[in-house]
Amino acid sequence: MELKHKKIYFYLASFIILSIVIILRISNLFVPFERDEGLYAYIAQRLSLGDIPYKDVFDSKPPMIDILYWIAFRIFGESELSVRIFMNIYTFAGAYALYLITKRIFSYRIGLLSAITFLIVTMSPTVFGQSANTEIFMALPIILAISLLWRGSETNNHRLFFLAGLLLGLAYLTKQVAIFYIAGFIPLICLTIWLENNNWKNLLLYIGGAIIPFGLSIIIYFLLGALQQYYEDTILFSISFAQQIPNNLFIILHTLIPPLFGIIKENIFLTIFALVGLHKLVTDTRNALTSQKGEKLDFISVYRENKRQLYFFFWILAAILATSGGYRYYPHYFIFIVTPCAVLVAIGIDQIIEQTYKLKSDRWHKFIFLFLMIIFVSPFFISKAYWLAAPNTRARILYSKFNPFSEARIISSHIKENTNPADKIFIIGSEPEILFLSQRQSASKYAIIYPLTAPNSLTTTRQIKAMEELVQNKPAYIIIINSQTSILKNKNTPPDFFQFIKKSLDTSYILDGIIIIGDIYNENRYFLGKLALNTFFSNKTQYLEPNDYTIELYKHN
């Protein structure tokens, strides 16, 4: 009865924290799509209309993320909100899977704390937690795969190894960096087979399971006549895009430190307890090794005593490699790392709770309630400027004014009002969310412009294809996003395509809109339709400063 009385404060704090998480996650549902979400949504939209990814629409990711968006649309309707609801359901499923595995390996309390930490950190603005990106959708299959590998090592059940490989294969079809998990767990499986006298068949089944999803995708796109494009888009382009970051330590650190510092700053208390948890695992390992001091080292007993630490080591190593793929450290990439770190946080907090439960004073048991509330609620106070902001302002806080995600809704409405459903448009930039929201097809398969600006052997060929498509389809609108982050044009970009666009605008299009983008707290200035034409052709300098960032809309004559 006394133990139950002690636990009531823990359960109460957990309930309140989860309630806060749900409320804040609901508020995040309405933040505008960013460009990656926009592309996945647009491709899912085109899937419903019979288009074939890679053949009809460029996509650098394997097809699973587009299928997940398509499923969200089929269940909840075709909207931004549908995807966000589906993503949150998926995330809670991942949290439950994390709870199950950590409960099995450690304890019920660590399981619950791990799930709560995971839900808090993965909705953080420091990891773009509002967005339905590939990384958050990969969390569930990765966690389930690790759980199956653990159970498989205990039971020598062949099917569990196969299913683990299959899940990681599906994760690869979501994003290519899952290869680090697939390959990273092979040494762990070999070690498990060797020390526990398991069957080497388990390794073959694991590899086979991992290969099947990719193999099936190859067969499907071969039958659809899109295998060459599938290879060029998801492998060749992804490699060349990653290589745009120079292999220079200073530049790599410059891209790594800001997002990492932001995550640590917001989650400073959770970071401290993650270090406490790491210290606990290291101490347990050291104690296990010390216990055999002076004796002949028994690898099997050492392995069994340190099995959970070993699994955790391979998990976090694979996560670090997946985060570092291509030397680009965008905030949402860190979701790979914060998932195993949620377990470290739980282990660290559990140490404090365990010591407190040993005290007889009820005052200390109430301390647990306050302690948990402070630890888990602190990130929301540290980032209160974000959580108190309106959805459009949140997008501007996260992505700066040089990414027109808030503006996409107004642009899309204008396009929708001034075109027919059969009309096509083209965007000089990488803002496919405009295509999705306006329900208009791109006049070229390149719904994002990065493949036309990336300096590689296929860029010229792609530019030629895009020009042919634009001549054939005659876009009703051409939208120019005057932002380097949206275009990524550099000195090595072939100039032919942009010369073609300039000539087309001069001969066949009239200005139909200019948006002058303000900063976070200054409103944009919209000049749409005749207002744009009259204003900027009569007195352009009155409104435009040299450093103004603008979006331009041109309508076909």
Side-chain angles (χ1 to χ4, degrees):
M1 190 67 180
E2 183 184 354
L3 181 60
K4 186 176 180 181
H5 177 69
K6 291 178 180 179
K7 288 184 176 181
I8 191 67
Y9 298 107
F10 172 74
Y11 293 132
L12 179 60
S14 299
F15 174 78
I16 293 175
I17 293 165
L18 283 173
S19 299
I20 295 172
V21 166
I22 291 171
I23 291 170
L24 292 179
R25 279 185 171 271
I26 290 173
S27 74
N28 251 350
L29 296 176
F30 307 99
V31 178
F33 267 177
E34 44 93 356
R35 64 175 55 91
D36 287 348
E37 292 175 294
L39 181 60
Y40 309 143
Y42 173 67
I43 294 173
Q45 190 179 68
R46 298 309 304 172
L47 269 173
S48 300
L49 297 172
D51 281 6
I52 300 171
Y54 315 108
K55 184 177 183 180
D56 299 319
V57 187
F58 173 88
D59 187 9
S60 63
K61 299 293 192 302
M64 195 65 200
I65 185 65
D66 307 322
I67 293 170
L68 289 169
Y69 271 61
W70 181 85
I71 292 171
F73 291 159
R74 300 287 71 76
I75 297 174
F76 300 110
E78 198 172 279
S79 68
E80 294 172 289
L81 183 61
S82 301
V83 172
R84 295 285 173 73
I85 292 172
F86 185 72
M87 180 269 286
N88 276 278
I89 293 172
Y90 217 83
T91 304
F92 272 88
Y96 183 66
L98 186 62
Y99 158 75
L100 291 177
I101 184 175
T102 47
K103 175 187 174 184
R104 186 181 188 91
I105 296 176
F106 295 98
S107 69
Y108 164 80
R109 194 165 60 225
I110 291 178
L112 183 56
L113 289 168
S114 297
I116 291 172
T117 306
F118 173 77
L119 288 171
I120 289 173
V121 180
T122 54
M123 74 174 187
S124 166
T126 61
V127 296
F128 296 164
Q130 89 298 337
S131 67
N133 243 309
T134 51
E135 291 77 15
I136 194 63
F137 283 110
M138 292 171 70
L140 177 60
I142 289 170
I143 293 168
L144 288 175
I146 294 168
S147 179
L148 290 172
L149 289 175
W150 177 273
R151 290 175 58 194
S153 69
E154 291 182 324
T155 62
N156 196 26
N157 187 323
H158 305 322
R159 288 177 296 180
L160 297 181
F161 285 91
F162 173 76
L163 289 173
L166 189 66
L167 285 166
L168 291 177
L170 290 173
Y172 176 86
L173 283 190
T174 307
K175 190 174 183 181
Q176 299 92 324
V177 293
I179 191 67
F180 292 110
Y181 289 93
I182 295 171
F185 290 138
I186 288 177
L188 178 63
I189 295 170
C190 292
L191 191 62
T192 299
I193 293 171
W194 175 48
L195 293 174
E196 298 200 13
N197 293 318
N198 286 343
N199 197 320
W200 285 97
K201 181 181 178 181
N202 294 338
L203 177 61
L204 296 177
L205 287 170
Y206 167 79
I207 295 174
I211 291 173
I212 284 176
F214 181 62
L216 286 175
S217 73
I218 289 176
I219 293 171
I220 290 170
Y221 285 107
F222 173 77
L223 295 175
L224 292 172
L227 183 59
Q228 178 68 24
Q229 295 95 326
Y230 181 41
Y231 168 70
E232 290 177 354
D233 290 2
T234 63
I235 296 179
L236 293 185
F237 175 78
S238 296
I239 292 173
S240 67
F241 192 70
Q243 289 175 343
Q244 289 184 50
I245 296 291
N247 191 13
N248 179 289
L249 180 60
F250 175 78
I251 295 176
I252 292 172
L253 290 176
H254 182 70
T255 64
L256 167 65
I257 291 174
L260 183 60
F261 177 76
I263 293 169
I264 293 173
K265 179 183 176 182
E266 183 190 271
N267 301 281
I268 184 64
F269 295 117
L270 297 179
T271 302
I272 290 170
F273 282 99
L275 294 174
V276 173
L278 180 62
H279 179 266
K280 173 69 166 58
L281 291 182
V282 171
T283 300
D284 288 347
T285 303
R286 186 173 62 244
N287 291 341
L289 294 172
T290 304
S291 65
Q292 294 202 11
K293 192 174 182 180
E295 303 176 8
K296 185 179 179 180
L297 191 63
D298 184 352
F299 285 104
I300 295 177
S301 62
V302 170
Y303 162 77
R304 288 175 178 169
E305 289 181 26
N306 295 280
K307 184 177 177 180
R308 61 187 186 184
Q309 292 96 301
L310 191 64
Y311 268 71
F312 185 83
F313 168 77
F314 277 95
W315 182 7
I316 201 163
L317 178 61
I320 291 171
L321 292 173
T323 304
S324 304
Y327 307 120
R328 291 176 184 269
Y329 293 95
Y330 293 122
H332 52 287
Y333 290 8
F334 287 88
I335 288 176
F336 292 129
I337 293 178
V338 301
T339 303
C341 284
V343 181
L344 287 180
V345 172
I347 294 170
I349 293 175
D350 185 69
Q351 293 297 295
I352 303 298
I353 294 175
E354 188 63 34
Q355 294 301 316
T356 306
Y357 279 173
K358 294 177 181 179
L359 303 174
K360 295 181 179 181
S361 172
D362 188 59
R363 181 185 304 172
W364 285 105
H365 305 151
K366 293 177 181 178
F367 165 77
I368 291 296
F369 172 80
L370 293 174
F371 169 72
L372 290 175
M373 291 297 295
I374 292 171
I375 294 301
F376 285 120
V377 177
S378 62
F380 309 136
F381 281 100
I382 293 172
S383 296
K384 63 181 182 295
Y386 172 84
W387 293 109
L388 294 175
N392 283 346
T393 305
R394 290 186 188 186
R396 190 65 66 81
I397 290 172
L398 291 176
Y399 300 103
S400 84
K401 74 175 187 178
F402 298 108
N403 293 285
F405 306 145
S406 301
E407 294 73 22
R409 292 174 173 175
I410 295 177
I411 295 170
S412 300
S413 295
H414 181 74
I415 295 294
K416 203 169 184 179
E417 290 171 2
N418 290 276
T419 58
N420 298 314
D423 287 336
K424 298 178 181 181
I425 65 174
F426 187 72
I427 301 170
I428 308 297
S430 299
E431 308 305 334
E433 66 276 11
I434 296 174
L435 298 168
F436 168 70
L437 293 170
S438 65
Q439 298 178 319
R440 298 295 182 264
Q441 185 179 2
S442 173
S444 166
K445 70 171 282 186
Y446 299 103
I448 59 173
I449 205 170
Y450 296 152
L452 307 182
T453 60
N456 61 61
S457 59
L458 291 174
T459 301
T460 300
T461 303
R462 287 175 173 144
Q463 285 191 0
I464 292 171
K465 179 173 178 56
M467 288 186 281
E468 291 172 349
E469 290 173 327
L470 294 180
V471 169
Q472 178 182 346
N473 293 320
K474 296 180 175 59
Y477 270 88
I478 291 179
I479 303 167
I480 300 179
I481 313 295
N482 291 305
S483 168
Q484 177 62 8
T485 59
S486 189
I487 296 178
L488 292 186
K489 183 181 177 183
N490 59 60
K491 63 181 181 180
N492 296 317
T493 298
D496 301 15
F497 179 75
F498 291 92
Q499 292 170 357
F500 165 81
I501 291 295
K502 185 180 185 304
K503 183 178 179 181
S504 298
L505 293 177
D506 290 341
T507 58
S508 304
Y509 288 82
I510 59 171
L511 183 70
D512 190 61
I514 284 188
I515 303 170
I516 305 174
I517 308 298
D519 58 27
I520 294 176
Y521 301 108
N522 290 321
E523 293 185 358
N524 299 333
R525 287 176 286 168
Y526 291 87
F527 301 85
L528 300 175
K530 291 183 179 180
L531 180 62
L533 192 61
N534 296 335
T535 301
F536 288 95
F537 273 79
S538 62
N539 196 0
K540 189 172 183 177
T541 57
Q542 179 180 346
Y543 294 94
L544 283 179
E545 298 294 334
N547 295 325
D548 273 343
Y549 157 45
T550 63
I551 299 172
E552 301 171 23
L553 283 68
Y554 292 89
K555 189 175 183 178
H556 199 284
N557 288 335

